[in-house]
Amino acid sequence: MKIVVLIKQVPDTTEVKLDPRTGTLIREGVPSIINPEDKNALEEALKLKEQMGAQVIVLSMGPPQAEDALREALAMGADEAILLTDRAFAGADTWATATTLGLALKKIGDFDLVLAGRQAIDGDTAQVGPQVAEYLKIPQITYVRELVVEDGKVRAKRAIEDGYEEIEAKLPALLTITKEANTPRYPHAGAIMNAYRERKVTFWGVKDVDANPEQVGLQGSPTQVKRSFSPPPKEPGQIIKSGPAEAAKELVAILRQKNII
Amino acid sequence: MDFALSEEQQMIRKTVRDFAEKEIRPIAREIDTTGQFPWEIIRKMGNLGLMGLPIPEEYGGSGADTISYALAVEEISRVSGSIGITLAAHTSLGLYPIYRFGTEEQKRKYLPHLASGQGLAAFGLTEPEAGSDAAAIKTTAVLDGDHWVINGQKIFITSGSIADVVIIAAVTDKSAGTRGISSFIVEKGTPGFRPGRDEEKMGLKGSVTSQLFFEDCRVPKENLLGEPGEGYKQFLITLDGGRISIGAMAIGLAQGAFEAAVKYSKERVQFGQPIARFQAIQWMIADMATEIDAARLLVYRAAWLKDKGVRFTREAAMAKLYASEAAERACFKAIQIHGGYGYMKEYDVERIYRDNRLTTIGEGTSEIQRLVIARQVLGEI
């Protein structure tokens, strides 16, 4: 079985501070980490590898320093690491990112399972996983907290608001994993040493994945961030102080006035 | 010159910090209160390759360098001094002499089990009448056929009663002075080897400190470490390395106290403002930050020299001396900043202060470090 895990290097948002003057994130000096739920996805892949044998490939798109995240994944137990890095990939929205990852997955080929984290803590879109599945035209199961692979199929428990669904899909399929699925392992110290001394990270650029430059990066992005801003502070609520019957009437009147009822 | 940690050193630090925060912090206060030895944590550390960091992979270690090992001791001690000292004594004093002075057979026999954290190693040098004057040990070992017969007593031995293997120093030729001391590998359960009571201590209560008794304890001839008469030289070399780890432990403890003090000073309001706004507090914070940094540089330099294979006796003594005393001052200030709350067990700085007190004493007191440094500077006078 061949499993590809999509990972993203993100700033550790627990250590990000806001600039009180400008309201923007201060990213300087903030450590970079593997997006937490991508680690859950990797852990799920490593568990499958231990249970039934599998080749685990980690795939990421990002700047050259994202290599650190891939080395950490190798230290945790991944077999191969590929970093999509190229100036032409920069500025990508979720669509262009999914296209790039999809092209790389086609090049990797013969995969049975693609696992991704539910969403990244920096963008919070939860779009890239599903978009990659759409691009590849393979089944997708999102918000997975438990999964079993059997007879060329995957059966997964998918979290929904008030419970979970059990969904079965034919392989190859893409699953996005939530943090409830597992507790990611710590890398062994010896494996950390080997991840740097003996293992390698493969770098792929635009040409390596046969991408049309217009499909990827800023050029291939149908959406663009126009402005970032902090949400305005919530206005204080209104307290109705009259007696119960009176208060109910007033409340109904206000709700009518605001066209809520 | 390059002050940056390598990528693998950074990842070791990050991983150990993560582990310490998630796995050790929740039990750090509890093991100080109950004195319960944290076996579960030690096993987990073993599984992560942290109990044999600087030992090569072929002997079951992780093949890391001394700087990575110092970083690990520092990060563990930042959260728990008890686990920090257990790791430091096991690695620097227990494993290292076997790795450095042992025969190939001894290394193959003992290191994989110990470096993977399946068992602990200890180092028995100190005796009731031989502390700073370590050459005054009275424990003897006499060759009788295929066995050495050991008699004597050891005290203050970290992990002594719970270790699977203890490296002990004993006199094999009284007439030869320091050249008449030899080292032996003694396995737990060897007839005649009996741990005495575990000491009740001021701090580091989640670590074990034991008396050890040897009464006609017969160890096989092949358990001699290195050559007869090399014990004194061996333990001086071992202690040089150990001092790096005690320095690292002191930095970790100081860092823990420092972070707690910084946090508290921003939260505690007196006279209508956070006390961090007062210069009296700011100066204490500035001194702590500066001294911890200086200590860190000294400790990392000593570790770096060891990795380079250069003599580092003087630098290790300086690092241990300065780091332990700087940590003492930092812990004092951390409590001072906390005021009355800092004197209460509810705040971690109380425990850290007690835990750190050992660092100016164990593996050579501050006075012995000064003696070592002065001898290195002045030569024979």
Side-chain angles (χ1 to χ4, degrees):
Chain A
M1 188 159 67
K2 194 194 265 189
I3 307 173
V4 182
V5 183
L6 307 180
I7 68 171
K8 182 182 186 184
Q9 190 185 46
V10 294
D12 187 349
T13 49
T14 57
E15 303 216 10
V16 169
K17 293 186 180 78
L18 282 179
D19 185 324
R21 281 184 306 113
T22 60
T24 54
L25 297 181
I26 306 171
R27 293 204 177 203
E28 260 172 47
V30 176
S32 293
I33 55 170
I34 297 179
N35 177 53
E37 286 185 318
D38 298 355
K39 251 191 185 177
N40 294 109
L42 175 57
E43 177 63 33
E44 216 50 40
L46 296 173
K47 271 162 57 187
L48 287 171
K49 177 181 168 179
E50 283 159 3
Q51 285 161 16
M52 48 202 302
Q55 183 196 11
V56 176
I57 302 170
V58 282
L59 174 65
S60 184
M61 185 183 91
Q65 55 268 34
E67 183 186 340
D68 272 342
L70 292 172
R71 297 268 176 204
E72 189 176 347
L74 289 171
M76 284 173 72
D79 300 295
E80 255 183 72
I82 303 166
L83 178 62
L84 293 158
T85 191
D86 196 310
R87 282 186 179 281
F89 294 148
D93 67 358
T94 60
W95 179 265
T97 302
T99 304
T100 312
L101 292 169
L103 284 164
L105 279 158
K106 279 186 179 167
K107 176 161 173 165
I108 293 167
D110 299 331
F111 51 83
D112 301 282
L113 207 52
V114 181
L115 300 181
R118 176 187 54 146
Q119 66 189 48
I121 54 171
D122 57 349
D124 273 341
T125 68
Q127 289 170 2
V128 172
Q131 286 170 341
V132 170
E134 286 299 308
Y135 180 86
L136 295 169
K137 298 189 170 51
I138 59 172
Q140 57 173 290
I141 312 175
T142 52
Y143 302 98
V144 170
R145 64 177 204 194
E146 211 179 305
L147 68 95
V148 185
V149 175
E150 241 170 23
D151 308 325
K153 287 179 198 154
V154 57
R155 213 169 50 246
K157 279 190 182 173
R158 173 181 192 273
I160 51 176
E161 213 164 306
D162 49 1
Y164 62 87
E165 298 173 332
E166 227 176 278
I167 294 183
E168 195 176 85
K170 272 190 188 161
L171 300 182
L174 182 145
L175 278 60
T176 72
I177 310 293
T178 67
K179 60 177 181 290
E180 289 79 19
N182 54 50
T183 307
R185 66 196 62 193
Y186 299 99
H188 185 281
I192 292 176
M193 294 297 144
N194 289 336
Y196 283 96
R197 289 176 192 168
E198 288 165 26
R199 312 288 299 280
K200 76 173 179 61
V201 171
T202 305
F203 291 82
W204 283 352
V206 167
K207 284 179 189 154
D208 298 299
V209 292
D210 294 325
N212 174 349
E214 284 173 14
Q215 279 180 293
V216 299
L218 195 61
Q219 275 198 73
S221 297
T223 64
Q224 263 150 48
V225 179
K226 292 201 83 163
R227 189 166 72 94
S228 298
F229 57 94
S230 305
K234 215 175 142 190
E235 284 175 29
Q238 189 182 341
I239 297 170
I240 303 167
K241 283 185 176 162
S242 39
E246 198 69 8
K249 271 186 200 162
E250 278 181 52
L251 179 63
V252 169
I254 294 167
L255 292 175
R256 282 224 171 97
Q257 195 193 338
K258 290 186 183 286
N259 294 323
I260 292 171
I261 52 172
Chain B
M1 200 162 206
D2 183 357
F3 286 102
L5 296 175
S6 72
E7 283 159 327
E8 54 261 52
Q9 288 160 354
Q10 288 179 45
M11 200 187 289
I12 290 277
R13 184 171 66 177
K14 186 173 135 192
T15 304
V16 178
R17 176 170 291 206
D18 203 21
F19 175 83
E21 286 293 341
K22 290 195 185 121
E23 313 281 335
I24 299 181
R25 192 173 293 284
I27 58 130
R29 193 175 301 172
E30 184 190 325
I31 62 171
D32 175 66
T33 310
T34 61
Q36 200 75 35
F37 187 77
W39 275 117
E40 201 192 329
I41 295 288
I42 299 298
R43 302 255 180 270
K44 283 185 186 171
M45 285 168 62
N47 291 338
L48 294 179
L50 300 180
M51 298 305 285
L53 274 169
I55 304 298
E57 277 182 295
E58 55 173 319
Y59 301 117
S62 295
D65 56 13
T66 309
I67 293 179
S68 299
Y69 162 57
L71 291 168
V73 173
E74 179 186 335
E75 290 298 335
I76 298 281
S77 304
R78 177 177 160 271
V79 175
S80 167
S82 293
I83 300 176
I85 185 86
T86 302
L87 169 63
H90 166 78
T91 311
S92 290
L93 305 184
L95 298 183
Y96 185 73
I98 301 176
Y99 170 62
R100 173 78 189 260
F101 309 115
T103 61
E104 191 56 32
E105 211 180 352
Q106 288 168 339
K107 289 194 243 187
R108 298 247 170 251
K109 184 173 177 189
Y110 295 107
L111 288 178
H113 173 74
L114 299 169
S116 58
Q118 293 168 61
L120 284 172
F123 176 72
L125 174 61
T126 301
E127 297 183 3
E129 290 168 67
S132 290
D133 185 8
I137 56 168
K138 292 200 166 70
T139 297
T140 57
V142 178
L143 191 60
D144 177 23
D146 286 342
H147 287 81
W148 289 94
V149 183
I150 303 174
N151 278 285
Q153 182 190 353
K154 298 288 175 185
I155 56 164
F156 304 157
I157 308 307
T158 303
S159 303
S161 66
I162 55 172
D164 284 356
V165 171
V166 185
I167 312 298
I168 66 142
V171 176
T172 46
D173 180 0
K174 205 173 174 187
S175 63
T178 53
R179 286 167 196 266
I181 295 171
S182 308
S183 302
F184 299 90
I185 302 170
V186 183
E187 292 179 34
K188 183 182 187 171
T190 306
F193 167 38
R194 177 174 63 83
R197 67 159 198 270
D198 291 336
E199 303 290 349
E200 282 188 42
K201 307 185 291 290
M202 176 183 182
L204 303 173
K205 289 169 188 256
S207 72
V208 169
T209 308
S210 324
Q211 298 183 338
L212 304 176
F213 294 102
F214 300 89
E215 288 156 3
D216 291 328
C217 169
R218 295 175 74 85
V219 300
K221 209 172 153 186
E222 61 268 21
N223 282 27
L224 176 77
L225 193 60
E227 298 294 320
E230 289 190 340
Y232 183 75
K233 202 175 82 190
Q234 289 171 351
F235 71 64
L236 288 185
I237 293 170
T238 300
L239 288 172
D240 280 346
R243 282 166 190 159
I244 294 173
S245 70
I246 299 298
M249 180 185 159
I251 305 168
L253 287 162
Q255 182 69 29
F258 171 70
E259 287 172 23
V262 167
K263 183 168 176 279
Y264 184 84
S265 71
K266 288 179 175 174
E267 290 167 1
R268 172 70 169 170
V269 172
Q270 289 287 276
F271 304 102
Q273 53 186 323
I275 60 170
R277 293 229 182 102
F278 297 116
Q279 201 172 45
I281 303 296
Q282 290 175 0
W283 285 19
M284 282 197 266
I285 300 269
D287 284 345
M288 289 163 91
T290 306
E291 292 191 21
I292 293 168
D293 245 22
R296 196 171 266 133
L297 291 174
L298 282 172
V299 171
Y300 294 176
R301 180 186 60 167
W304 178 80
L305 286 171
K306 184 168 192 288
D307 286 332
K308 292 267 172 210
V310 180
R311 196 177 155 87
F312 62 98
T313 300
R314 163 173 145 166
E315 287 78 6
M318 287 174 164
K320 198 265 189 189
L321 169 66
Y322 186 79
S324 61
E325 297 198 343
E328 173 72 21
R329 293 188 289 274
C331 291
F332 177 92
K333 290 190 178 99
I335 290 185
Q336 202 64 20
I337 289 168
H338 279 72
Y341 289 108
Y343 195 65
M344 303 299 152
K345 287 198 181 287
E346 198 187 335
Y347 284 80
D348 285 340
V349 289
E350 182 271 343
R351 165 170 54 90
I352 301 172
Y353 191 54
R354 286 185 286 109
D355 283 355
N356 184 66
R357 193 64 189 82
L358 184 271
T359 64
T360 66
I361 299 167
E363 297 191 37
T365 58
S366 287
E367 293 64 41
I368 288 296
Q369 306 309 324
R370 290 189 170 92
L371 188 97
V372 169
I373 298 162
R375 275 186 191 158
Q376 294 280 324
V377 173
L378 298 166
E380 292 296 323
I381 41 172

